[in-house]
Amino acid sequence: MNWVLEGRERLRMNEKFTDSPVMNKTLEEYKKMGQKKKRKIQLWLPPFNN
């Protein structure tokens, strides 16, 4: 339970979450994965024109 209170205090003092290199890398990989899927969908579907 102490780690929760310590984390809460750190968050309150910093006014933001602590950056994590591991999480930043994971987020970038997730974004790239989404971009690849978006490109695949664009290849499958014809352009939509009004």
Side-chain angles (χ1 to χ4, degrees):
M1 184 67 158
N2 287 339
W3 64 271
V4 173
L5 299 175
E6 290 170 7
R8 179 179 165 262
E9 182 62 22
R10 187 173 59 244
L11 178 60
R12 190 182 68 75
M13 289 175 55
N14 294 336
E15 297 180 355
K16 66 177 185 171
F17 288 99
T18 306
D19 282 337
S20 165
V22 173
M23 284 305 299
N24 291 341
K25 181 181 177 190
T26 303
L27 179 59
E28 288 303 315
E29 290 173 2
Y30 176 76
K31 287 179 180 179
K32 287 178 186 176
M33 186 173 52
Q35 290 171 352
K36 288 178 185 176
K37 288 183 180 183
K38 183 178 178 183
R39 276 186 245 141
K40 276 188 180 179
I41 291 171
Q42 288 172 341
L43 290 174
W44 290 339
L45 301 174
F48 180 75
N49 297 323
N50 289 342

